[in-house]
Amino acid sequence: MLVIVKENYDAMSKEAARLVADRLRKKPNMVLGLATGSTPLGLYKELIRMQRDEGLDFSKVTTFNLDEYVGLPPSHDQSYHYFMHENLFKEINLDVRHIHVPQGMSKDVDVFCEWYEKRIVECGGIDLQVLGIGGNGHIAFNEPGSSLGSRTRIKTLTGTTRMDNARFFKTGEEVPRYAITMGVGTIMDAKELLLLANKTGKADAVKAAVEGPLTAMCPASIIQMHAKAFVFVDRDAASKLTGNYNDSWESKIFQ
Ligand code: PGA
């Protein structure tokens, strides 16, 4: 694992974008795993700027998103389809045929999940997977207690996650109860992981993921088992870490 601590959110996002851009320049047809949430927004903004100012080319990239709410159509402003379109896809030169986001309106969710897993393999596997982390240690919608070997499937959202998300919906009742999510095992198959976290609210989860015991009660702790996991944090999210960490992913000193 390579932990990179930056002064603030902006510096963290830019450093992470430099890593994505480096991988993309080395492999123009890379398979990029994407995440939603507030954390990766700075990374996406910087990638959009790099396309505009530096000609970073996404035309051959294939993307796979981690998760989507069950029951929200892509046109719903809280769906992850909508989020990705608004915050990244519409701004860069991705080929829409290369975009994959789980279908929350699937008639048969199990068949869809099996297809999603197969599709990732058909596309050559995910080269680099972007991840956020929940305050409770979840990655994607793999909530505490999720099997560390799990694959893409439907999950019930915990009360905490529904409460965290309630601010985006008019009433608490409207917050979806289920999501389709890549499993922890699916995420671990990616060749590289890029986990981002900022703000003090994430400090306990980051501590548990990076320095705590490996446990399904903190699904993000599985990154300790990945040979190439980058963890980008700002000073606040890093405030409970006790190890000596790096300033740049280019140091290449994996622990
Ligand atoms: P956030 O969500 O980026 O909005 O904090 C991260 C997550 O819950 O995985």
Side-chain angles (χ1 to χ4, degrees):
M1 188 187 321
L2 190 60
V3 180
I4 300 112
V5 183
K6 301 301 285 187
E7 201 49 44
N8 54 42
Y9 177 69
D10 191 48
M12 176 195 86
S13 303
K14 286 185 172 146
E15 186 71 12
R18 284 205 311 118
L19 173 65
V20 176
D22 175 78
R23 300 306 193 256
L24 176 50
R25 290 192 181 105
K26 285 181 178 142
K27 186 176 177 188
N29 65 343
M30 77 181 291
V31 179
L32 182 58
L34 296 171
T36 51
S38 51
T39 314
L41 284 174
L43 161 67
Y44 296 158
K45 273 207 183 90
E46 180 64 4
L47 291 176
I48 293 165
R49 188 202 64 74
M50 285 173 151
Q51 146 138 24
R52 189 185 62 230
D53 300 344
E54 299 168 19
L56 191 66
D57 181 17
F58 291 85
S59 63
K60 297 190 178 71
V61 172
T62 297
T63 67
F64 283 92
N65 263 82
L66 288 170
D67 45 14
E68 177 59 289
Y69 291 118
V70 168
L72 294 192
S75 57
H76 192 291
D77 64 3
Q78 291 308 323
S79 75
Y80 288 170
H81 277 81
Y82 190 89
F83 177 99
M84 289 309 301
H85 180 75
E86 287 301 306
N87 293 300
L88 184 66
F89 297 158
K90 74 173 187 193
E91 307 286 353
I92 57 173
N93 67 333
L94 263 176
D95 181 336
V96 290
R97 292 168 305 179
H98 297 169
I99 294 173
H100 303 84
V101 182
Q103 292 294 339
M105 299 299 283
S106 303
K107 286 209 182 68
D108 190 328
V109 171
D110 292 343
V111 169
F112 175 81
C113 292
E114 245 177 71
W115 175 83
Y116 205 66
E117 288 277 332
K118 275 196 204 124
R119 186 76 193 131
I120 293 172
V121 174
E122 261 169 31
C123 293
I126 293 170
D127 290 303
L128 176 64
Q129 176 66 56
V130 176
L131 295 167
I133 180 171
N136 63 4
H138 73 204
I139 40 173
F141 272 131
N142 296 288
E143 300 284 21
S146 291
S147 157
L148 297 180
S150 52
R151 310 304 306 185
T152 303
R153 69 211 184 290
I154 186 166
K155 280 290 289 178
T156 310
L157 304 183
T158 60
T160 344
T161 298
R162 290 189 71 229
M163 255 163 20
D164 280 352
N165 294 353
R167 64 188 192 277
F168 301 118
F169 293 84
K170 282 191 209 89
T171 65
E173 264 312 289
E174 280 177 65
V175 185
R177 291 173 188 279
Y178 303 97
I180 294 175
T181 181
M182 276 189 207
V184 180
T186 322
I187 292 168
M188 286 294 284
D189 285 347
K191 289 160 203 138
E192 294 186 303
L193 302 180
L194 189 173
L195 187 145
L196 293 160
N198 67 304
K199 296 193 182 160
T200 40
K202 296 290 171 71
D204 285 322
V206 167
K207 166 87 178 159
V210 173
E211 296 179 350
L214 179 63
T215 167
M217 293 317 287
C218 175
S221 64
I222 193 70
I223 59 171
Q224 296 173 28
M225 296 291 288
H226 199 286
K228 288 198 90 182
F230 297 88
V231 178
F232 288 82
V233 277
D234 72 349
R235 285 218 172 277
D236 292 339
S239 57
K240 299 214 167 150
L241 295 178
T242 53
N244 248 340
Y245 295 117
N246 305 278
D247 183 49
S248 165
W249 53 270
E250 282 161 320
S251 65
K252 296 193 179 88
I253 304 165
F254 278 87
Q255 270 138 357

